């Protein structure tokens, strides 16, 4: 997903500051939490985009989104980053900047996001076997696995590695069979 030029620039600047402070691994985790907070709390984006909400309140929301009630333990780089967004009137871009940072970090560290959806929960042995096959296919790099269940698959699974998708589901096979019968 393209987050836009300004969020990418902020993400790159944050990444460079993180490199200088040897803080990028921590920032990566924080940016993931921030991006997740926008997914879990759909009211967060409208709140930080609302011009009637005070800038200090928006900053507080972004700190609470990542740290909960323990905002005193906030990472200095993250806190400085949020303050910079507030000063520049870019708080509303926090989600897009977080996504751009995550993308940049993954690219720089050869981290691949692997989404696996199966019709039913996958036993641990099958997970390990599938992870080994994926690791052999991808080669060098680190994989971040995300498992979900999707009963609409009927059986089998789908694997998405970044933008590549393998669909080994029964529903996909039924669709292909249907298309071949229609021809």
């Amino acid at each position: 997903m393209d987050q836009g030029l300004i969020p990418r620039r902020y993400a790159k600047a944050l990444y460079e500051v993180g490199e200088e402070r040897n803080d990028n691994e921590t920032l990566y985790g924080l940016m993931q939490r921030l991006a997740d907070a926008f997914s879990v709390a759909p009211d967060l984006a409208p709140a930080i985009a609302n011009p009637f909400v005070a800038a200090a309140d928006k900053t507080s929301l972004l700190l609470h989104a990542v740290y909960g009630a323990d905002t005193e333990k906030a990472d200095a780089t993250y806190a400085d980053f949020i303050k910079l967004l507030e000063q520049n009137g870019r708080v509303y871009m926090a989600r897009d900047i977080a996504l751009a940072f995550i993308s940049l970090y993954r690219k720089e560290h050869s981290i691949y996001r692997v989404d696996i959806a199966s019709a039913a929960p996958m036993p641990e042995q099958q997970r390990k076997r599938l992870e080994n096959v994926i690791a052999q296919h991808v080669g060098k790099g680190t994989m971040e696995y995300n498992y979900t269940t999707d009963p609409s698959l009927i059986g089998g699974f789908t694997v998405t590695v970044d933008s590549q998708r393998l669909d080994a589901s029964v529903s996909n096979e039924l669709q292909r069979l249907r298309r071949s019968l229609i021809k």
Side-chain angles (χ1 to χ4, degrees):
M1 175 192 319
D2 186 11
Q3 287 87 22
L5 181 63
I6 294 172
R8 284 195 309 266
R9 285 185 177 166
Y10 273 89
K12 186 174 183 191
L14 179 61
Y15 186 87
E16 289 172 0
V17 169
E19 283 289 306
E20 290 172 10
R21 296 181 180 181
N22 198 26
D23 203 16
N24 269 344
E25 189 174 343
T26 301
L27 285 172
Y28 178 61
L30 296 174
M31 291 297 118
Q32 286 180 312
R33 279 198 258 167
L34 181 59
D36 290 345
F38 280 96
S39 298
V40 173
D43 293 339
L44 182 58
I48 65 168
N50 188 334
F52 297 109
V53 175
D57 292 337
K58 293 176 184 181
T59 301
S60 179
L61 280 172
L62 293 178
L63 288 170
H64 277 82
V66 171
Y67 290 100
D70 293 335
T71 56
E72 303 85 37
K73 297 180 182 179
D75 177 80
T77 308
Y78 179 77
D80 291 346
F81 163 69
I82 298 301
K83 287 176 190 168
L84 178 71
L85 293 181
E86 178 186 338
Q87 291 167 357
N88 293 337
R90 303 283 192 196
V91 173
Y92 69 95
M93 292 183 164
R95 178 185 173 273
D96 290 337
I97 296 169
L99 293 173
F101 182 91
I102 291 166
S103 179
L104 176 61
Y105 185 89
R106 285 180 177 157
K107 182 179 178 184
E108 292 294 321
H109 292 88
S110 300
I111 298 172
Y112 300 95
R113 175 155 172 104
V114 181
D115 294 307
I116 300 172
S118 57
M122 210 179 262
E124 191 63 31
Q125 185 179 7
Q126 281 183 328
R127 283 184 181 205
K128 293 295 180 197
R129 193 169 57 180
L130 188 56
E131 288 174 8
N132 287 336
V133 169
I134 292 168
Q136 288 174 357
H137 173 73
V138 172
K140 292 183 179 180
T142 305
M143 271 39 93
E144 288 182 348
Y145 292 96
N146 178 41
Y147 286 91
T148 58
T149 11
D150 181 1
S152 71
L153 296 176
I154 303 171
F157 58 89
T158 63
V159 176
T160 306
V161 180
D162 290 336
S163 62
Q164 296 180 338
R165 182 179 171 117
L166 166 70
D167 193 336
S169 66
V170 172
S171 64
N172 183 51
E173 289 298 317
L174 289 172
Q175 287 176 5
R176 287 186 5 200
L177 179 62
R178 180 178 175 267
R179 278 183 254 141
S180 68
L181 290 174
I182 292 173
K183 289 183 181 181

